[in-house]
Amino acid sequence: PIYSPLVPLEEILDPALLDSSVGHAGQKYQGLFDDTDGGSGVLSVGHGDRFDKLKADFLVDQLPQVSLYGVSNVGQIQLMSVVETIALGSQEDKSIDEMGLRYLIMMNLYEYEKRRSPGRSTPHLCYRDINWALNSDTQIALIQHCRSIHPGRGLDWHAFRSMGLAMWIRSRSMLLQEIERLARDIYSLNDRDPSSCGMFFLALKKPRVLFGLWKMAHGHPEQAKMVRFLSNDFSLPRWKTAANKNAFALLGKARYWDAITFFLLGDRLEDAAL
């Protein structure tokens, strides 16, 4: 088998650190970077140059046209994703630090694999990958990039969970803000069905928001009884017991998300988590 030489991430970000250890591996494709006559459209990359978005865009444009020896078509597409991600760390504003870059590389490869095999179960990011984001000091930018993958429609629970957002956002206020955005996204994605997002608003201690959504759920078959039930005072033991009875009844019908909502109404967090 043919193996490419191991190159540390910092050397990729700073080509000036590259030395002869790369050997002949890069010479075969030197034409990708040599400037010929200044008008050939070929990008010039010297040892003193900084890797930036211009060079990343050039490589992404050229990689589909060049067959790299020992690299499959899938591997080249994955390489394009890595190149685009590393370019984020080379911008002058330094919007993403190295820990964040490592997370984004793995997350983008995960998203590519998910698009490549639609319908097939794709493993979530592992804890090692999520740990990069946990230790990043540019978490606001990371959240923006995670959301940019799903523009327009917002995140659903599967996407939020698969990217590990609830596990690596360190700021409590930021996490609560993102969970509320998630609840509103899910509400919109599910044709404004309050039952799809109820557990999130109750976890955020915002029962009045959920009550308002049910009042607007005209045409929903369960609107009338949910509005009546949610109008009760769930600080009273009587209504907590009623909520928990409903939760167990929903479990018997395999309506697990609805059961979680009622367990939270009944202040039974441990049962909701199970």
Side-chain angles (χ1 to χ4, degrees), residues 103-114:
Y103 167 79
L104 285 181
I105 287 173
M106 302 310 299
M107 191 264 288
N108 287 336
L109 291 177
Y110 162 79
E111 289 292 331
Y112 164 73
E113 188 63 27
K114 189 169 65 175

Side-chain angles (χ1 to χ4, degrees), residues 20-205:
S20 58
S21 63
V22 179
H24 295 287
Q27 295 179 4
K28 183 175 181 180
Y29 304 103
Q30 190 63 36
L32 276 175
F33 306 105
D34 288 338
D35 189 8
T36 58
D37 299 329
S40 64
V42 178
L43 190 68
S44 174
V45 180
H47 274 271
D49 293 338
R50 186 76 177 170
F51 188 77
D52 55 22
K53 189 175 185 304
L54 176 64
K55 299 178 179 67
D57 290 343
F58 173 78
L59 288 175
V60 169
D61 179 64
Q62 292 296 314
L63 278 171
Q65 307 173 40
V66 176
S67 180
L68 298 178
Y69 183 69
V71 181
S72 66
N73 291 335
V74 172
Q76 288 199 199
I77 294 174
Q78 292 175 331
L79 178 59
M80 290 165 57
S81 176
V82 171
V83 167
E84 288 180 316
T85 306
I86 290 177
L88 294 173
S90 302
Q91 296 175 357
E92 292 183 1
D93 60 1
K94 294 291 184 183
S95 59
I96 304 290
D97 61 12
E98 183 176 342
M99 292 293 186
L101 274 179
R102 291 177 183 271
Y103 167 79
L104 285 181
I105 287 173
M106 302 310 299
M107 191 264 288
N108 287 336
L109 291 177
Y110 162 79
E111 289 292 331
Y112 164 73
E113 188 63 27
K114 189 169 65 175
R115 292 192 301 270
R116 192 171 73 92
S117 306
R120 192 177 72 181
S121 178
T122 307
H124 298 160
L125 290 179
C126 68
Y127 291 122
R128 178 198 62 191
D129 303 327
I130 292 172
N131 192 51
W132 296 125
L134 177 65
N135 288 281
S136 172
D137 292 324
T138 54
Q139 292 197 338
I140 294 177
L142 286 184
I143 294 171
Q144 293 171 347
H145 280 286
C146 288
R147 286 194 159 273
S148 69
I149 297 174
H150 305 272
R153 66 185 186 88
L155 297 178
D156 58 14
W157 169 241
H158 177 74
F160 193 91
R161 180 188 177 195
S162 66
M163 293 187 290
L165 284 164
M167 300 178 67
W168 57 257
I169 297 178
R170 296 196 302 267
S171 166
R172 174 180 170 82
S173 61
M174 192 185 304
L175 177 59
L176 294 178
Q177 177 182 329
E178 288 306 312
I179 291 176
E180 183 165 356
R181 290 180 68 183
L182 170 67
R184 296 185 183 280
D185 286 345
I186 291 175
Y187 175 66
S188 299
L189 289 169
N190 287 275
D191 298 323
R192 300 182 180 276
D193 182 355
S195 65
S196 65
C197 61
M199 59 174 284
F200 297 104
F201 284 114
L202 291 179
L204 292 167
K205 306 293 186 183

